[in-house]
Amino acid sequence: LRAATLARAGRTADARAAFEKAMAADPKAARPLIGLATLEAQAGNAAAAVELLDRAAGLDPKSGDARYLAAQLVLGQVRQDEAERRLREVIAVAPGNGAAMNDLAWILASSGQDLDNALALAERARQLNATPDVIDTLGYVQLKRGDAAAAVKLFEEALAMRPKDPTLRYHLGVALAQT
């Protein structure tokens, strides 16, 4: 807790020392590794962060937290094949991780592959957490499946929740153009 508080306060060096002290006190705890990985990611060291997150995932095999954070970092590096693989692992370990389902649905729809699975993932993600971003993904999947009318309704729903979002407005415009 001390390390996380120090990190939030911007005291990175002190936070790093506190996370390392926590690791020394309990070498089997995953949380200090996740904290160190977060610091590495913030410093722009994505590869080091992913390595730490992989170690954390090994210490806590039933948790999807470290795996999901690693998948997001890999996705941010535009390594979609690896991100897809990692997201599938997250869902296998933590079947209730709607964020992983949403991200995987977006990847599948973006590549135009396995759109039925993308739809199922996006619908499940929406059931778990109906945020504008998740509804946007579901609309995007519907658009890729050729159902522009369903996509319009979903983008309008997402826009009602976040009316000034330019991405949602753009997606709605694309869907309207296709109707």
Side-chain angles (χ1 to χ4, degrees):
L1 288 175
R2 176 178 167 72
T5 301
L6 290 167
R8 281 191 202 99
R11 295 176 50 192
T12 306
D14 293 334
R16 183 177 301 282
F19 280 128
E20 289 171 355
K21 185 176 179 181
M23 279 181 17
D26 186 359
K28 293 184 180 184
R31 283 282 161 209
L33 286 169
I34 293 171
L36 283 172
T38 301
L39 294 177
E40 289 294 341
Q42 290 170 348
N45 303 324
V50 170
E51 182 180 318
L52 288 165
L53 290 167
D54 286 343
R55 283 179 47 202
L59 292 173
D60 193 2
K62 293 183 181 179
S63 172
D65 295 346
R67 284 178 175 81
Y68 180 65
L69 292 172
Q72 284 185 310
L73 285 170
V74 168
L75 187 56
Q77 295 172 328
V78 195
R79 294 171 21 212
Q80 280 196 303
D81 290 343
E82 184 180 349
E84 180 181 338
R85 178 187 60 78
R86 286 175 176 271
L87 289 167
R88 289 182 189 279
E89 287 176 8
V90 173
I91 295 166
V93 169
N97 189 319
M101 291 176 202
N102 184 66
D103 292 352
L104 182 55
W106 186 270
I107 289 172
L108 294 174
S110 293
S111 65
Q113 61 176 321
D114 202 3
L115 292 175
D116 290 339
N117 189 30
L119 180 62
L121 288 164
E123 287 174 337
R124 179 75 175 123
R126 182 181 184 197
Q127 289 172 352
L128 294 169
N129 190 17
T131 67
D133 294 324
V134 171
I135 295 167
D136 178 52
T137 297
L138 181 54
Y140 183 68
V141 171
Q142 290 288 29
L143 195 60
K144 287 292 195 168
R145 290 171 49 85
D147 191 348
V152 165
K153 289 179 185 175
L154 290 162
F155 294 138
E156 287 174 339
E157 180 182 341
L159 268 168
M161 298 166 78
R162 202 164 58 209
K164 295 183 180 181
D165 188 305
T167 302
L168 295 173
R169 288 181 175 279
Y170 174 75
H171 289 161
L172 175 59
V174 170
L176 287 169
Q178 287 188 19
T179 58

